[in-house]
Amino acid sequence: MSAETLVSEAAAPRHSLSRLGRHLHASVLRTCLPVEALRELLPHGAVAQREVDEAVIAAAVASAATAGAEAEALNAALDRHHAPALARFARARGSADLLREWSAAAGSPAMPGAYWALLTHPLADRALRHLAFGDVEMLGPKAPAHTSLPMLLARRSVSPRRLTGPAPTPEALDLMLQAALTAPDHGRLHPWRVIEFRAESRAALADIFEREKRGRDPMAAASDLRRAREHATRPPCLLAFVVSLRQRKRVPLREQWLAAGAALGNLLNAAHAQGYGAIMLSGDRCFDAEICADLGLGPHEFLAGFISIGTIAEPAPAVDRPLSQAVWSCWSAPAQGSRSGARPAALAFTASDKAIG
């Protein structure tokens, strides 16, 4: 590559925050801006004043993913905060210059500015960004172990009509699957799998959904048929979550269902942690034998539901959570001779069960 080409590329526009990979948003906002600055940039009421730092960062990550006015405000604040580093990195004329600047700043007080300048530089390739990300995660300040709790407490389902593109990148989707694979799983059977429906297959899936709707309701109105098709075409990312039970003497079927549910929860939590909205919907179509056959399900597999994932275009309305006391009790030993002798009924799962419930 000629020197003239390098100069021309160096003069190209820098990358914006919203154009960086989703896995970088939390890393950048946690590293490159003080939490109080993030709090001031968020829309009024986005987080309460009493919320801990990680809740503020999670809200900022969600804003960065929108590529709207809020993301632009975050981008401008990062530029103002790190103007000297941006000027220094602007003089780089190739990867070697960028690497030299980064190596000098990594692990020092100058690292946050260098991180923002490197990630947004037009000459920074994926390998350089990956190197910087690894250095920041290894050398940067470590968050307390409990700080993921605000993220979990803030998670909620987001309707497909409130989602828009971009869809999760392949890397982001892979992180969700890795999170699902860490769920509690007796026997490490992984009694579940995921089917992705990419853009080129959505029209065929919409035909299948319409056929199922017509079969279930021959008098369905045109608007109902249109909605059935939209369930296949609207979500930016659409997955089917399939429970795949195994015959194992030491691992009861009910424990496999629990393992699959735990994996599903981890997948949805990982989508939320990366700034995406997600929801799983089931319904009558999950019990349809023809749909299960069209999706390639085996005789001991069950279609639990369809997962929609995307960028949050419109925040979901507030929801009232039940009090923890509603699901909590404290056991006391039974009094002598008070047992009735009755035992809870055992649950039996058959091949006719087509969803978690």
Side-chain angles (χ1 to χ4, degrees), residues 12-268:
R14 292 171 40 244
H15 299 298
S16 64
L17 178 63
S18 60
R19 287 188 59 194
L20 296 179
R22 296 297 178 82
H23 65 291
L24 293 173
H25 287 171
S27 177
V28 167
L29 294 172
R30 182 180 290 111
T31 304
C32 301
L33 276 181
V35 172
E36 287 311 309
L38 290 176
R39 193 187 293 274
E40 291 175 4
L41 288 165
L42 292 173
H44 180 69
V47 289
Q49 280 299 118
R50 65 180 181 274
E51 292 283 10
V52 296
D53 292 358
E54 282 298 308
V56 177
I57 293 170
V61 168
S63 293
T66 63
E70 295 169 15
E72 291 175 4
L74 288 167
N75 202 95
L78 285 161
D79 283 353
R80 289 194 303 271
H81 205 73
H82 299 297
L86 292 173
R88 189 168 66 253
F89 273 72
R91 294 192 289 269
R93 289 297 178 265
S95 296
D97 292 343
L98 291 174
L99 180 58
R100 189 180 307 110
E101 291 286 352
W102 173 252
S103 299
S108 77
M111 185 168 71
Y115 192 39
W116 174 243
L118 175 66
L119 292 180
T120 57
H121 199 285
L123 295 182
D125 58 18
R126 184 175 182 180
L128 269 174
R129 293 194 185 97
H130 185 74
L131 170 68
F133 175 77
D135 286 346
V136 164
E137 295 302 305
M138 181 175 65
L139 301 173
K142 298 298 184 290
H146 69 272
T147 54
S148 61
L149 279 177
M151 181 277 296
L152 289 174
L153 293 173
R155 197 216 72 82
R156 54 160 320 160
S157 296
V158 182
S159 168
R161 69 177 181 273
R162 300 180 187 277
L163 299 177
T164 187
T169 63
E171 293 82 5
L173 184 56
D174 185 66
L175 286 175
M176 297 175 206
L177 295 176
Q178 289 181 43
L181 288 167
T182 69
D185 186 352
H186 185 190
R188 292 183 290 181
L189 297 181
H190 308 309
W192 56 273
R193 63 188 181 94
V194 166
I195 303 170
E196 181 182 2
F197 303 97
R198 294 185 173 172
E200 61 271 17
S201 67
R202 295 294 191 90
L205 184 65
D207 290 342
I208 290 172
F209 283 7
E210 180 180 346
R211 182 196 68 202
E212 184 274 336
K213 180 65 176 178
R214 289 182 183 275
R216 182 162 40 90
D217 182 5
M219 302 298 291
S223 58
D224 293 331
L225 298 176
R226 184 174 63 253
R227 278 193 293 272
R229 297 186 65 86
E230 286 177 352
H231 290 160
T233 58
R234 176 182 293 214
C237 173
L238 184 64
L239 312 172
F241 191 85
V242 178
V243 179
S244 302
L245 301 179
R246 273 79 156 148
Q247 292 295 332
R248 296 292 189 275
K249 182 178 180 180
R250 297 183 181 276
V251 186
L253 295 182
R254 65 180 183 181
E255 294 186 7
Q256 297 184 42
W257 279 98
L258 290 170
L264 172 63
N266 273 16
L267 191 155
L268 295 174

Side-chain angles (χ1 to χ4, degrees), residues 265-336:
N266 273 16
L267 191 155
L268 295 174
N269 285 332
H272 173 71
Q274 296 183 80
Y276 295 101
I279 190 172
M280 191 183 86
L281 300 172
S282 54
D284 290 329
R285 66 172 57 96
C286 293
F287 296 84
D288 186 81
E290 290 188 17
I291 286 183
C292 292
D294 288 337
L295 298 188
L297 271 65
H300 299 293
E301 292 191 315
F302 304 86
L303 179 56
F306 293 89
I307 303 171
S308 300
I309 311 173
T311 299
I312 300 175
E314 178 187 351
V319 62
D320 290 330
R321 303 286 190 188
L323 297 175
S324 56
Q325 288 86 345
V327 294
W328 172 89
S329 64
C330 186
W331 182 80
S332 297
Q336 191 81 17

